[in-house]
Amino acid sequence: PGYAAYAHIERDSYYMDVDLIHGGFLRGFAARGGTLTVDADVTGLSRQGDVWRVDTSAGSFEARTVVNAAGAWVDVIAELAGVAPVGIQPCRRTAIIFAAPDDQPVDEMPLVIDADEAFYFKPEAGKVLASPADETPSPPCDAQPEEIDIAFVADHLQRATIFDIRHIEHKWAGLRSFVSDRTPVVGPDPVADGFVWLAGQGGYGIMTSPAMGRAAAAAASDSAWPSDLEALGVVPDTLSRARPTLARATAAE
């Protein structure tokens, strides 16, 4: 009471179940003959004739086309391949989970974001997930939560809501990766044959994955661009590695 002056609710937005989406993609991948190799650090990437050779800690692989979807590490992978970077900037994002008040069911609670996007919270399996919505520049790494960010969101929530956060049950951090114009980079590199970018989703990777995956697949297979994406204004030029807004910013860096 007394914290908020106005509020707006968007009733036609929905939560996406990350685990189910990932599982669905993996099942589809396996059904089409795909093989998933994990714990395979890339140690070398070079063009040999008309194929790319990828050397990893789990063995070597060859393919006519390689898709650089390495998240915060896309410029590291590009450097290994001798390809110009896109100027990716990983940014740390922190999240915590805490118990909901005993007399306050939260399963039907909406995602709540303050107007300045200084914090947000939402229900998560009967508990509350909250974040300070931080975007702290970071090198590519296994990001860990900082105590100052955890303290900030806990303090802000207790001033803005009726939550009494006595114990944080879980805390973690991840990296959201951006390029200078904050638009994903999807499509073939303008110089390196068979090198396709899928980068800079900025924390919206799972939300955009059905569309960006299809866009990357079209670019990697030299197929027609999905017509439904084009109808929505999502076109190759907008996402291109060679787009003017990205080219200017990369040159300036």
Side-chain angles (χ1 to χ4, degrees), residues 3 7 12 14 19 27 64 85-86 103 105 114 123 130 145 148 152 162 164 169 190-191 197 202 220 228 231:
Y3 181 84
D12 58 352
Y14 295 89
D19 185 59
R27 286 191 298 274
R64 290 182 178 275
V86 292
D103 59 346
D114 81 317
I148 186 65
F152 177 84
I162 62 170
D164 182 13
E169 298 187 8
V191 176
W197 290 90
D228 57 330

Side-chain angles (χ1 to χ4, degrees), residues 87-221:
I88 203 75
Q89 176 57 71
C91 293
R92 189 177 67 248
R93 171 60 55 92
T94 307
I96 63 172
I97 287 181
F98 58 92
D102 293 339
D103 59 346
Q104 296 291 327
V106 297
D107 288 342
E108 299 300 321
M109 182 179 72
L111 162 67
V112 179
I113 309 174
D114 81 317
D116 295 325
E117 293 193 30
F119 69 93
Y120 61 83
F121 60 92
K122 65 177 184 134
E124 184 74 20
K127 302 182 185 298
V128 180
L129 181 152
S131 172
D134 47 330
E135 287 185 1
T136 306
S138 168
C141 65
D142 180 11
Q144 299 298 317
E146 296 285 343
E147 291 302 322
I148 186 65
D149 296 322
I150 295 169
F152 177 84
V153 67
D155 176 70
H156 218 133
L157 279 175
Q158 292 190 129
R159 288 187 289 111
T161 73
I162 62 170
F163 294 137
D164 182 13
I165 306 174
R166 299 183 180 182
H167 174 64
I168 295 173
E169 298 187 8
H170 191 44
K171 57 186 178 181
W172 72 96
L175 295 178
R176 300 156 57 91
S177 298
F178 300 89
V179 293
S180 55
D181 63 5
R182 299 177 76 88
T183 296
V185 182
V186 184
D189 189 88
V191 176
D193 289 342
F195 191 94
V196 175
W197 290 90
L198 178 54
Q201 290 94 332
Y204 297 99
I206 196 64
M207 298 179 186
T208 62
S209 58
M212 294 300 98
R214 291 167 59 221
S221 60

